[in-house]
Amino acid sequence: MELRSHNVTKGPERAPNRSLFYALGYTTEELERPLIGVVSAFSEIVPGHMNLDKIAEAVKAGVRMAGGTPVLIPSIGVCDGIAMGHIGMKYSLASRELICDSVETMAMAHQLDGLVLVPNCDKIVPGMVMAAVRLNIPAVVCSGGPMLAGNYRGEAANLSKMFEAVGAYKAGAIGDDELEEYEKGCCPGCGSCSGMYTANSMNCLCESLGIALPGNGTIPAVFAERLRLAKHSGMAVMELVRKNIRARDIINEKSIRNALACDMALGCSSNSVLHLLAIANEAGSPISLELFNEISEKVPNLCHLAPAGPTHIQDLYAAGGVPAVQNELLKKNLIDPTLPTVSGKTVGENIAGLTNKDTRAIRPIEDPYSATGGIQILWGNIAKEGCVVKRSAVAPEMLVHTGPARVFNSEEEAIDAIYNGRIVPGDVVVIRYEGPKGGPGMREMLNPTSALAGMGLDKTVALITDGRFSGASRGASIGHVAPEAAVGGEIALIHEGDLIEIDIPAAKINAQVSDETFAARRAAYQPPAPNVKSGWLARYASLVSGADKGAVMP
């Protein structure tokens, strides 16, 4: 079998290359086997990654058992929760591109035959998947698994409730003791935070794309089953190498549609829109925002996991996980069961006989939460290239809303107004210059949305931004407004007090401002100076595309 790694291991011309492998302690026998990169994002700063050393070792064991030579490679990873609410969040989305580029660099520089990607949290998962389809070599994703829900006075606790507790504290609803009790109880240990936030959304979608084995999205981080999954992932990549089944054989236009269907049924994070756009682009099967609404119209929402409801990823796991959701969708032919996956089986073979064991976590498709999916794309005169809302996390009374714009040019300005009681029921908070270029880095607005929820305003106040929202956000949180303010999008021309009309079921968002008035405002408009003028973020801002294209770089 001809291998890519032969470019560094075979022939007299490669004796210098081999000498460096011997310096690392590799044996002749190991160099005769396929070289498999095990890309681990282990670190001591991300709770979702603190167990990835164990996962990577199990993957390596699986690779060796199946006749390969594992090669451990590190990856960076940002903890979005720790980065939230300050300059650090500007680096989160941008890190996705660094991760993708670094995986490409290591795999190409060392001519690896295959990859097992070991991420867990928000941008690390899509960054690694983007690299796999860009490289188009055999690859399997094996995440570190979700965190268990915490506990606060007998009730399940999670990170989104922690952020909302800050709003409750500011409103005087809880005191110092309650806040401290919550912060020490909501995140009990390792794993990606316990709700259907971005990390767990993407790990579940890796299953539905077929690039990860069943269980990848839902087996809790602390379960021994997670280690067994890692070993099987190492074995699976070796079978892919032997059969020359590459990443684009798995991820393509058809499997992306399967993933979109699961996205709608699961009620995934609005960030999944950015990441699926980016993955599809790298896979050579670009998709548009219109496809999200096309599939949302067909696929019902079956899950209300935190923050949309009281259940957590461990409940989804106990109910049968992603395969149980896929089986519900298959009842109405909403996914294609014939597509290949990295398990060596088709989607249909993977999910055969795996039924829904808990209708609290997964509604039967005959009795969904809603007939339409969890994500909705809106268009209008302030979002001519679209914007995104996690419809499944919006209170029914806020699906249609009209209110006066309260305009802020940064997240910090908006937070100050919210905490100091200057936002009242009916308002529409507009936060701009937080897009991919304007932020730069398209910060998540979890602090403002959580503050509104904690202060009891999430069912009366909407929030619109050219930035984005954490998967932990709930309420009428409308993000990814494109074109963004920094490139002259109409969101930059909204004035304080303009009436904003939101109609989520009709996919519309408009300001009650005439074209003539917008034209006059544009003529007088003076854009602010860039927020960042040096370093990596300045380069990112100069190159990154709009949110409607996935905020990708050329």
Side-chain angles (χ1 to χ4, degrees):
M1 171 171 66
E2 189 66 27
L3 298 170
R4 284 160 47 97
S5 60
H6 289 173
N7 290 325
V8 294
T9 61
K10 292 295 182 182
E13 300 83 2
R14 295 297 176 245
N17 309 64
R18 290 194 297 274
S19 73
L20 294 169
F21 279 103
Y22 292 138
L24 289 162
Y26 288 97
T27 66
T28 301
E29 292 82 1
E30 285 175 300
L31 297 187
E32 290 173 352
R33 297 177 173 187
L35 299 182
I36 305 299
V38 180
V39 186
S40 170
F42 167 76
S43 76
E44 295 181 347
I45 194 64
V46 186
H49 292 183
M50 64 186 287
N51 66 323
L52 295 189
D53 55 341
K54 311 289 191 305
I55 302 297
E57 284 301 318
V59 168
K60 289 166 65 178
V63 170
R64 289 193 183 98
M65 283 189 283
T69 297
V71 180
L72 184 66
I73 295 170
S75 169
I76 65 167
V78 170
C79 177
D80 277 19
I82 295 174
M84 195 73 66
H86 55 89
I87 191 173
M89 182 47 68
K90 294 178 184 288
Y91 287 86
S92 174
L93 182 61
S95 74
R96 186 188 70 181
E97 314 310 306
L98 290 177
I99 291 161
C100 178
D101 290 350
S102 64
V103 173
E104 175 195 359
T105 298
M106 295 300 284
M108 291 299 292
H110 305 101
Q111 291 294 282
L112 302 175
D113 297 305
L115 297 170
V116 180
L117 305 165
V118 186
N120 210 21
C121 291
D122 295 35
K123 311 310 167 297
I124 301 88
V125 180
M128 288 189 182
V129 176
M130 288 162 63
V133 290
R134 179 189 292 178
L135 290 162
N136 196 27
I137 63 176
V140 177
V141 172
C142 180
S143 80
M147 184 185 294
L148 296 175
N151 185 279
Y152 176 75
R153 301 189 177 185
E155 294 185 1
N158 54 60
L159 185 65
S160 57
K161 291 291 186 183
M162 179 69 253
F163 273 90
E164 290 173 15
V166 177
Y169 177 82
K170 293 286 186 179
I174 63 173
D176 291 335
D177 291 345
E178 292 94 336
L179 188 67
E180 182 179 3
E181 186 179 343
Y182 213 106
E183 69 185 71
K184 290 181 176 177
C186 69
C187 296
C190 67
S192 47
C193 296
S194 57
M196 187 52 80
Y197 312 140
T198 305
N200 291 325
S201 294
M202 295 311 302
N203 285 322
C204 287
L205 293 181
C206 283
E207 276 192 61
S208 56
L209 283 166
I211 197 71
L213 296 178
N216 179 73
T218 61
I219 298 170
V222 295
F223 282 20
E225 187 180 354
R226 176 61 59 175
L227 295 174
R228 295 195 292 272
L229 180 79
K231 291 175 182 177
H232 283 123
S233 297
M235 298 177 202
V237 77
M238 289 304 301
E239 194 64 19
L240 298 179
V241 169
R242 291 188 187 98
K243 294 180 178 178
N244 194 29
I245 297 172
R246 294 173 289 174
R248 291 193 186 189
D249 296 323
I250 304 295
I251 297 180
N252 49 48
E253 182 180 357
K254 290 181 179 180
S255 65
I256 290 166
R257 293 184 75 97
N258 268 9
L260 283 170
C262 284
D263 191 338
M264 298 304 166
L266 288 165
C268 289
S269 164
S270 57
N271 282 316
S272 66
V273 175
L274 281 176
H275 300 323
L276 287 174
L277 286 168
I279 290 167
N281 179 67
E282 291 287 359
S285 302
I287 57 176
S288 68
L289 288 177
E290 285 80 3
L291 183 60
F292 286 82
N293 276 5
E294 175 193 323
I295 291 180
S296 182
E297 285 300 309
K298 300 175 183 175
V299 179
N301 177 226
L302 305 181
C303 301
H304 269 192
L305 297 146
T311 51
H312 294 81
I313 301 298
Q314 66 201 58
D315 302 305
L316 179 61
Y317 164 76
V322 174
V325 174
Q326 290 174 306
N327 264 320
E328 292 293 338
L329 296 177
L330 193 56
K331 291 177 182 178
K332 294 196 174 182
N333 298 314
L334 294 171
I335 59 168
D336 185 343
T338 68
L339 303 184
T341 73
V342 295
S343 72
K345 300 176 181 178
T346 65
V347 171
E349 290 168 337
N350 277 344
I351 68 177
L354 299 176
T355 57
N356 183 3
K357 301 173 186 175
D358 184 356
T359 56
R360 287 185 321 114
I362 307 170
R363 283 273 186 93
I365 200 162
E366 300 83 6
D367 181 29
Y369 282 104
S370 65
T372 53
I375 297 287
Q376 182 83 26
I377 311 298
L378 314 179
W379 283 273
N381 67 356
I382 58 172
K384 293 181 176 178
E385 293 171 4
C387 57
V388 181
V389 63
K390 184 172 178 176
R391 178 175 179 168
S392 59
V394 179
E397 55 265 45
M398 289 299 292
L399 291 171
V400 177
H401 178 77
T402 299
R406 304 298 310 281
V407 181
F408 305 96
N409 288 339
S410 71
E411 178 190 10
E412 288 81 0
E413 290 181 17
I415 277 286
D416 181 70
I418 294 168
Y419 283 160
N420 287 289
R422 300 200 300 273
I423 302 302
V424 299
D427 283 348
V428 177
V429 175
V430 177
I431 306 177
R432 58 196 182 189
Y433 300 106
E434 291 284 5
K437 287 182 177 291
M442 205 178 180
R443 287 194 290 181
E444 289 184 344
M445 301 291 135
L446 180 54
N447 275 338
T449 59
S450 298
L452 291 171
M455 299 172 82
L457 293 171
D458 57 304
K459 295 181 180 179
T460 58
V461 172
L463 197 156
I464 300 171
T465 182
D466 53 6
R468 59 196 176 90
F469 294 105
S470 166
S473 293
R474 61 185 174 99
S477 304
I478 300 166
H480 308 199
V481 170
E484 63 174 290
V487 300
E490 280 70 16
I491 190 173
L493 307 178
I494 297 173
H495 284 189
E496 185 85 5
D498 286 346
L499 285 180
I500 308 294
E501 299 175 330
I502 300 164
D503 190 337
I504 293 173
K508 294 179 180 179
I509 183 167
N510 289 286
Q512 290 184 4
V513 177
S514 68
D515 292 344
E516 292 78 12
T517 299
F518 266 143
R521 291 178 183 179
R522 185 175 298 284
Y525 171 68
Q526 293 291 328
N531 287 324
V532 176
K533 300 182 178 66
S534 63
W536 150 239
L537 283 181
R539 297 199 303 274
Y540 176 84
S542 70
L543 295 170
V544 68
S545 74
D548 59 307
K549 300 294 191 297
V552 297
M553 292 175 64

